[in-house]
């Protein structure tokens, strides 16, 4: 009641959200606003709030939440969050945090200040809190096969994923590397690119890349503000219909598509999470799809034959599209051919329409020639190891050609795009003397590619493995693929409910390698130390021995963090 004797107009709390949202048309559908307001009033829903400006976290809580988001806080942080005894205000030395180019608006080596350090910390904390909230949703390995939830949420957001062109990538192995190489080539072509891949190695922000870098913490927060209220509405509708809330992966998919529209990007390089047909990324109208090599993985969801798995993955193929296909088992290829015929899609096969030749090792990578329907590109240099990475590069080149109406790529685009391509956690060298390699290989096909890559690129006389895995993986099959390469193996447990217990890991490893060649360590650091010590037995030259850490994306991420000081 105001002083004029009439009611104040009722405020719609969603109006500002709608005004600031950056969907495909720059706004949330206005017709949804009354329903959002009504739903909020009737059920007294509190919108997710991440603003912590009025309450600073204590040190323990800060460390826990940031750790959940893959952010490590140094001991020096205590000087940032401790209150000054006399003034009651928070203080921090100017050099407590370095403000990187991402957080300083693209200005490298920006001057550090206590206010910027505090703001960076606050933003990181907010990202970690949002991530911890998203983690309460159904995890990405617990599938409820339907696109209804994500389609509803994206419809409410005005379908931001349709505001840019896209390249959609499915398959079992090689998806992330292919996506990263395609991203690099497209950026070298002068386009602004968004890349969505999974899972992440360290930080959730790695999954959503803009301009070749993980999305900034601020952009992540802004995208979440755009989608959280709308997803809350979609969750309510889903629960009413018996479909449940959006899952962890579906939420991140919606957030990524919104972030890309807000940037805005020109091309999205989108990796399928699992399968394809009912994957939450399969809402794109992409002109080009990529099917990387298909093998056995996630059989409980995708099927127990390669034909069944291929049918799920071929579900991303669009009518009239161009499909770039990697090497496939005959069973899988037959299905892909059939789907392409049904949808009148143009199929281009590696080994037939796309060929690799003159492949040879080079310093820090390899050189090869690629022939595509558009051109022959000679003496290409790729700073990645393994025949499979040359195959990924060839597929990416053909896909980028197809996105560009089939025109050949310029020499400058190829040189810049390939030279700057990277694939962290995939046959990545982290240290020397001895050489320590990390790879996210988590199925037998990935392990076979890893073994082949090491045998081709390194002249090791002795190799020791460090291994851990999720309990739902084909551990025996992975280890059997690596057994001809490894002289010994050290198993170590990982944290998390999905991880295989250490005793079970050791039992399976000893069955494959024998008891005398199987060792166990209580944690990753001790496992790597033990593996290094094993390579030193026999007095072989340091450049002829190696340690390879493999078996899980999580393990790869932890290894990269552990050895971060050596990455320089």
């Amino acid at each position: 009641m105001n002083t004029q004797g009439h009611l104040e107009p009722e405020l719609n709390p969603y109006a500002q959200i709608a005004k600031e949202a950056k969907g495909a048309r720059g706004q949330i559908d206005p017709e949804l606003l009354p329903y959002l307001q009504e739903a909020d009033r009737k059920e007294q829903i509190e919108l997710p709030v991440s603003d912590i400006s009025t309450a600073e976290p204590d040190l323990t809580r800060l460390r826990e939440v940031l750790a959940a988001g893959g952010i490590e806080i140094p001991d020096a942080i205590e000087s940032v969050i401790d209150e000054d005894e006399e003034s009651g205000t928070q203080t921090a030395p100017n050099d407590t945090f370095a403000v990187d180019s991402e957080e300083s608006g693209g200005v490298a080596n920006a001057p550090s200040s206590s206010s910027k350090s505090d703001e960076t910390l606050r933003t990181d904390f907010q990202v970690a809190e949002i991530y911890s909230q998203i983690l309460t949703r159904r995890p990405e390995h617990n599938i409820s096969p339907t696109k209804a939830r994500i389609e509803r949420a994206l419809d409410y957001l005005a379908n931001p994923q349709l505001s840019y062109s896209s390249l959609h990538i499915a398959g079992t192995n090689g998806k992330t590397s292919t996506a990263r190489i395609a991203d690099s080539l497209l950026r070298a072509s002068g386009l602004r690119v968004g890349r969505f891949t999974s899972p992440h190695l360290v930080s959730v922000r790695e999954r959503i890349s803009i301009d070749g870098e993980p999305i900034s913490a601020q952009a992540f927060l802004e995208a979440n503000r755009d989608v959280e209220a709308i997803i809350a509405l979609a969750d309510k509708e889903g629960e009413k219909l018996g479909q449940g809330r959006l899952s962890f992966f579906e939420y991140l998919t919606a957030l990524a598509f919104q972030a890309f529209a807000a940037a805005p990007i020109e091309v999205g390089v989108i990796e399928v999470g699992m399968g394809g047909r009912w994957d939450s990324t399969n809402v794109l109208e992409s002109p080009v799809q990529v099917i990387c090599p298909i093998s056995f993985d996630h059989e409980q969801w995708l099927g127990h034959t390669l034909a069944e798995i291929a049918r799920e993955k071929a579900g991303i193929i669009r009518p009239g599209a161009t499909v770039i296909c990697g090497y496939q088992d005959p069973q899988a290829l037959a299905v892909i051919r059939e789907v392409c015929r049904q949808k009148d899609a143009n199929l281009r096969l590696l080994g037939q329409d796309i060929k690799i030749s003159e492949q040879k090792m080079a310093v820090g990578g390899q050189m090869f020639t690629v022939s595509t329907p558009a051109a022959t590109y000679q003496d290409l240099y790729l700073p990645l190891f393994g025949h499979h990475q040359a195959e990924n590069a060839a597929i990416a080149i053909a896909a980028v050609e197809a996105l560009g109406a089939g025109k050949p790529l310029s020499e400058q685009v190829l040189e810049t795009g390939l030279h700057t391509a990277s694939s962290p956690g995939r046959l990545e060298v982290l240290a020397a003397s001895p050489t320590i390699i990390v790879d996210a290989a988590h199925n037998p096909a990935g392990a076979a590619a890893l073994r082949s890559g090491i045998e081709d690129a390194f002249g090791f006389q002795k190799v020791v493995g460090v291994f851990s895995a999720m309990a739902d993986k084909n551990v025996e099959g992975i280890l059997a693929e690596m057994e001809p390469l490894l002289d010994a193996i050290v198993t170590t447990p990982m944290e998390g409910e999905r991880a295989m217990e250490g005793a079970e890991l050791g039992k399976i490893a000893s069955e494959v390698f024998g008891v005398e060649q199987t060792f166990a360590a209580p944690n990753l650091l001790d496992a790597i130390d033990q593996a290094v010590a094993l390579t030193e037995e026999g007095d072989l030259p340091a450049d002829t021995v190696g340690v390879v850490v493999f078996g899980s994306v999580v393990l790869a991420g932890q290894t990269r963090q552990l050895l971060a000081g050596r990455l320089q």
Side-chain angles (χ1 to χ4, degrees), residues 167 169 174-186 189 269 288-292 324-326 350 354 356 368 370 372 377 380 382 384 388-404 409 413-414 417-418 421:
L167 170 63
I169 304 176
K175 298 192 300 292
T176 299
S177 294
T178 301
R180 294 183 69 95
I181 297 170
D183 177 353
S184 188
L185 289 168
L186 288 165
S189 302
V269 178
V288 180
Q289 294 90 52
V290 171
I291 309 290
C292 291
I324 311 297
C325 187
L350 183 63
I354 307 155
I356 301 171
F368 52 90
V370 173
T372 71
Y377 308 105
L380 301 178
L382 180 70
L384 301 173
H388 61 291
Q389 292 292 16
E391 295 164 9
N392 294 334
I395 291 171
I397 290 169
V400 172
E401 280 183 351
L403 279 174
L409 306 183
V413 165
L414 282 166
L418 293 181

Side-chain angles (χ1 to χ4, degrees), residues 430-431 559-568:
L430 297 185
T559 305
R560 295 185 87 249
Q561 281 188 296
L562 190 64
L563 302 180
R566 303 186 189 184
L567 285 174
Q568 301 300 323

Side-chain angles (χ1 to χ4, degrees), residues 426-543:
R426 276 77 180 175
L427 229 171
E428 182 181 17
V429 177
L430 297 185
S433 297
T435 301
I436 299 179
I437 298 168
V438 64
D439 194 278
H442 58 274
N443 55 46
L450 170 61
R451 173 168 57 86
S452 175
I454 292 176
E455 290 172 342
D456 291 341
F458 302 91
F460 292 142
Q461 296 182 38
K462 185 176 186 179
V463 186
V464 177
V466 173
F467 178 77
S468 192
M470 298 299 177
D472 59 349
K473 296 299 180 181
N474 181 359
V475 171
E476 185 175 359
I478 296 169
L479 293 178
E481 288 288 352
M482 292 293 289
E483 191 274 335
L485 172 72
L486 302 180
D487 295 274
I489 190 160
V490 183
T491 63
T492 183
M494 293 185 296
E495 293 184 1
E497 61 181 20
R498 286 185 64 203
M500 180 172 284
E501 293 184 0
E504 184 65 14
L505 282 171
K507 178 177 180 294
I508 298 174
S510 63
E511 291 173 354
V512 175
F513 288 87
V515 175
E516 293 184 357
Q517 276 67 50
T518 302
F519 303 85
N523 57 63
L524 179 58
L525 179 59
D526 286 346
I528 293 176
D529 284 344
Q530 189 169 358
V532 170
L534 288 169
T535 65
E536 293 172 348
E537 295 178 359
D539 296 325
L540 292 170
D543 60 353

Side-chain angles (χ1 to χ4, degrees), residues 21 23 25 27-30 32 35-36 149-160 226 229-238 241 258:
R25 297 195 296 269
Q27 62 182 13
I28 295 172
D29 189 342
L32 287 174
Y35 297 100
L36 286 164
R149 292 179 296 268
I150 187 68
E151 288 175 338
R152 181 181 300 111
L154 292 173
D155 281 346
Y156 289 172
L157 287 165
N159 288 302
D226 283 344
I230 298 302
I231 289 179
L233 176 64
D235 284 343
K236 286 179 59 183
E237 291 294 315
L241 296 171
Q258 180 66 24

